[in-house]
Amino acid sequence: DLDVVVPLGNAVLTTSELMDLAIGDVIMLDTDLDTLLPVLVQNCPKFLGHPGVVKGQMAVEIKKEYENA
């Protein structure tokens, strides 16, 4: 089996903000909704895709192969 991971984005919080988090709070990420996300296979970028939901389960739609910049 291979590990496949799709990081959604990053956020920077102060220690105080982290300590104040509660159920229902929303953390804003640095990723726009239309940004293609890297699809990592065994921790290596292989594809770019969009996150979504299929039959009530989180999913990612592969849009293109990852190309080294």
Side-chain angles (χ1 to χ4, degrees):
D1 294 346
L2 300 173
D3 287 326
V4 178
V5 175
V6 182
L8 294 177
N10 297 299
V12 176
L13 300 176
T14 65
T15 302
S16 176
E17 289 169 327
L18 180 64
M19 298 301 290
D20 288 340
L21 283 176
I23 301 298
D25 286 350
V26 175
I27 298 173
M28 299 298 291
L29 302 176
D30 63 353
T31 308
D32 293 328
L33 285 176
D34 58 350
T35 300
L36 289 174
L37 301 176
V39 178
L40 309 176
V41 179
Q42 294 298 104
N43 214 26
C44 294
K46 297 293 183 187
F47 303 101
L48 295 171
H50 281 295
V53 178
V54 175
K55 297 181 183 177
Q57 188 167 354
M58 293 292 296
V60 63
E61 179 182 9
I62 302 298
K63 290 294 191 176
K64 59 191 242 180
E65 289 189 38
Y66 182 88
E67 299 174 9
N68 266 339

